[in-house]
């Protein structure tokens, strides 16, 4: 019995190491794949352009099929929700944008599709390098895809002004320095962490009330109002090193920083049971249907390892594609912003109905963040034990 | 005996729901990956 347990532990240790090695390999391979042919992508997405002549890195003189020069094109990037979003910006001889295309993006496909289907790029066509505009100021964003809309506008402005200044010799307005965005979601997030911290103390009497309070705030404010839950996409961003700008996405740093800090120091998950909006939605359904934790008998381990495998493959695919949002299969946005594919709506429907009878079915059997937290806790324990052993030997 | 039977049925229902969802999630993942490849390469 003891031998069996020790063998299982050994196998888990090896799996943990192999997982890290595979993540590193996928990271390198993804880097090589990313440098795919950008030129053919431009010509496919901008059929008016027949010929490109490189004048400097990522900047081209562009011609139509009659060999007439149309102007210049440059590829510029800005940070979107999932990572850098690359735009091809075509500018005429007067400094006006006449064509645009998203060449490469790390956004969640359904969100980017929403932006492109709404003909958002057309709102920027005809803008001049002299025009002063930003998202919400001269250009309306696409609701629930604000990060993608902002990245498109920022990359477009950068590209347009670069061509105007460097290629056409025109004067361009100076870029205003961005200011730190510290608003309601950030304040609420800090308050939720603070309430969770005090409610965890053994002297605190109203733990149940505090937990329901944080869950409902999480559900309505972080979920339905802001749609800012913790997702696999954020973990993929960490692995890929796509850190969003601090000034515009302070929330990202507070959420991830807070969760991992508490996991490291206290070995407790401050998010899932306390203010995860989707967890709260399931618990509300459970109140209606009287759901209970349900056993899966001898299949418990099989289901646990299936979810771990799917999560691991999702992370590897995100690293290979250099796209953190692509494998973020959660149905959070489907519930809170009604954005998602037909399949996601089907999954959401099944999960919500199941929540009436099974306690937190998504969190228990389907959420990719469970295996991520398990893995982190496992590594933490491994490192902590080694460090403790070393200290004893000293 | 009755209790064991209903518990067993409960287990089977949970497993069936989870397997259906995992299947749909896998199809969703493959679709997203394919879409991303089509969009970027």
């Amino acid at each position: 019995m003891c031998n069996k347990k020790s063998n299982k532990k050994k196998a888990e240790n090896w799996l943990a190491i192999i997982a890290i090695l595979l993540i590193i390999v996928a990271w390198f391979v993804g880097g090589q794949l990313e440098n795919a042919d950008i030129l053919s992508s431009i010509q496919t997405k901008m059929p008016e352009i027949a010929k490109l002549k490189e004048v400097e890195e990522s900047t081209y003189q562009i011609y139509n099929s009659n060999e007439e020069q149309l102007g210049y094109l440059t590829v510029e990037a800005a940070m979107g929700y999932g990572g850098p979003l690359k735009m091809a910006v075509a500018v005429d001889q007067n400094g006006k944008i006449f064509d645009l295309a998203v060449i490469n993006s790390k956004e969640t496909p359904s969100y980017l599709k929403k932006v492109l289907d709404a003909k958002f790029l057309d709102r920027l066509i005809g803008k001049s390098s002299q025009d002063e505009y930003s998202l919400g100021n001269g250009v309306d964003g696409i609701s629930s895809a604000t990060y993608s809309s902002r990245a498109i506008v920022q990359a477009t402005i950068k590209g347009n002004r670069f061509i105007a200044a460097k290629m056409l010799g025109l004067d361009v307005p100076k870029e205003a320095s961005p200011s730190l965005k510290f608003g309601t979601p950030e304040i609420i997030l800090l308050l939720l962490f603070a309430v969770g911290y005090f409610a965890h103390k053994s002297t605190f009497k109203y733990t149940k009330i505090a937990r329901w309070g944080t869950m409902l705030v999480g559900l309505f404010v972080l979920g339905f109002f802001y749609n800012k839950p913790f997702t696999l996409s954020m973990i993929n961003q960490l692995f890929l090193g796509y850190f969003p700008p601090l000034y515009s996405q302070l929330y990202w740093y507070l959420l991830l920083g807070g969760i991992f800090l508490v996991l490291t120091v206290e070995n407790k998950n401050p998010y899932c049971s306390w203010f995860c909006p989707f967890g709260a939605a399931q618990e509300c359904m459970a109140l209606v249907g009287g759901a209970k934790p349900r056993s899966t008998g001898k299949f418990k381990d099989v289901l646990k390892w299936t979810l771990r495998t799917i999560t691991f493959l999702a992370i590897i695919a995100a690293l290979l594609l250099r796209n953190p949002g692509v494998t973020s299969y959660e149905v959070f946005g489907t519930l809170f912003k009604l954005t998602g594919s037909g399949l996601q709506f089907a999954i959401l429907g099944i999960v919500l109905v199941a929540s009436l009878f099974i306690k937190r079915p998504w969190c228990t059997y389907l959420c990719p963040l469970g295996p991520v937290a398990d893995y982190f806790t496992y590594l933490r324990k491994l490192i902590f034990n080694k460090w403790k052993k070393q200290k004893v030997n000293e | 005996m009755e209790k064991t039977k209903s518990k067993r049925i409960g287990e089977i229902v949970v497993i069936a729901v989870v397997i259906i969802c995992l299947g749909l999630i896998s199809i969703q993942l493959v679709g997203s990956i394919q879409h991303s490849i089509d969009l970027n390469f």
Side-chain angles (χ1 to χ4, degrees), chain A residues 223-243:
Chain A
F224 284 110
F225 198 76
Y226 290 110
N227 187 26
K228 282 172 177 279
F230 180 36
T231 62
L232 183 64
S233 169
M234 292 174 167
I235 300 292
N236 291 338
Q237 272 180 289
L238 271 182
F239 280 128
L240 283 164
Y242 291 158
F243 300 108

Side-chain angles (χ1 to χ4, degrees), chain A residues 121-133:
Chain A
L121 300 186
D122 289 354
R123 298 180 194 179
L124 300 167
I125 304 276
K127 296 271 185 203
S128 157
S129 55
Q130 300 296 319
D131 294 340
E132 297 245 25
Y133 60 95

Side-chain angles (χ1 to χ4, degrees), chain A residues 74-149:
Chain A
T74 192
V75 177
E76 271 291 355
M79 204 51 107
Y81 180 76
L85 180 144
K86 279 185 188 168
M87 291 288 298
V89 186
V91 177
D92 68 16
Q93 308 282 6
N94 301 316
K96 274 192 175 174
I97 299 163
F98 71 89
D99 205 356
L100 287 167
V102 178
I103 294 301
N104 191 295
S105 98
K106 319 297 176 195
E107 307 301 270
T108 309
S110 57
Y111 285 81
L112 185 65
K113 189 173 179 295
K114 197 174 175 186
V115 174
L116 297 178
D117 286 351
K119 305 263 176 222
F120 181 70
L121 300 186
D122 289 354
R123 298 180 194 179
L124 300 167
I125 304 276
K127 296 271 185 203
S128 157
S129 55
Q130 300 296 319
D131 294 340
E132 297 245 25
Y133 60 95
S134 59
L135 195 75
N137 172 29
V139 181
D140 290 332
I142 303 296
S143 72
S144 78
T146 320
Y147 288 115
S148 308
S149 311

Side-chain angles (χ1 to χ4, degrees), chain B residues 1-2 5 17 20 31-32 34 37 40:
Chain B
M1 189 73 176
E2 271 300 303
K5 201 177 169 190
V17 168
I20 291 169
S32 291
Q34 188 60 52
I37 292 170
N40 286 323

Side-chain angles (χ1 to χ4, degrees), chain A residues 145-158:
Chain A
T146 320
Y147 288 115
S148 308
S149 311
R150 185 180 292 123
I152 287 174
V153 173
Q154 284 176 345
T156 302
I157 293 174
K158 264 204 265 181

Side-chain angles (χ1 to χ4, degrees), chain A residues 127-310:
Chain A
K127 296 271 185 203
S128 157
S129 55
Q130 300 296 319
D131 294 340
E132 297 245 25
Y133 60 95
S134 59
L135 195 75
N137 172 29
V139 181
D140 290 332
I142 303 296
S143 72
S144 78
T146 320
Y147 288 115
S148 308
S149 311
R150 185 180 292 123
I152 287 174
V153 173
Q154 284 176 345
T156 302
I157 293 174
K158 264 204 265 181
N160 187 2
R161 290 186 180 165
F162 173 80
I163 290 175
K166 291 274 163 91
M167 301 294 140
L168 304 170
L170 301 171
D171 286 333
V172 292
K174 275 197 177 151
E175 227 177 289
S177 53
S179 54
L180 188 73
K181 204 178 150 200
F182 186 78
T184 320
E186 287 79 13
I187 294 169
I188 286 175
L189 185 62
L190 289 176
L191 285 174
L192 288 171
F193 274 122
V195 172
Y197 176 77
F198 288 113
H200 265 102
K201 288 193 179 276
S202 53
T203 47
F204 194 81
K205 284 179 187 167
Y206 308 104
T207 307
K208 205 174 169 189
I209 298 171
R211 188 170 163 271
W212 267 103
T214 54
M215 277 204 301
L216 291 176
V217 171
L219 174 64
F220 290 106
V221 182
L222 300 187
F224 284 110
F225 198 76
Y226 290 110
N227 187 26
K228 282 172 177 279
F230 180 36
T231 62
L232 183 64
S233 169
M234 292 174 167
I235 300 292
N236 291 338
Q237 272 180 289
L238 271 182
F239 280 128
L240 283 164
Y242 291 158
F243 300 108
L246 183 69
Y247 64 87
S248 65
Q249 291 191 46
L250 178 65
Y251 181 91
W252 190 93
Y253 289 92
L254 291 176
L255 182 61
L256 257 77
I259 292 171
F260 282 108
L261 182 74
V262 180
L263 262 175
T264 311
V265 179
E266 297 274 328
N267 199 20
K268 277 181 186 145
N269 184 335
Y271 178 79
C272 295
S273 309
W274 282 82
F275 58 92
C276 167
F278 199 68
Q282 291 170 86
E283 291 217 17
C284 289
M285 296 296 283
L287 270 188
V288 178
K292 288 177 189 158
R294 307 272 174 190
S295 149
T296 46
K298 56 184 175 185
F299 289 97
K300 191 181 158 198
D301 275 353
V302 176
L303 294 177
K304 187 170 84 178
W305 280 96
T306 308
L307 178 62
R308 285 179 177 181
T309 309
I310 289 180

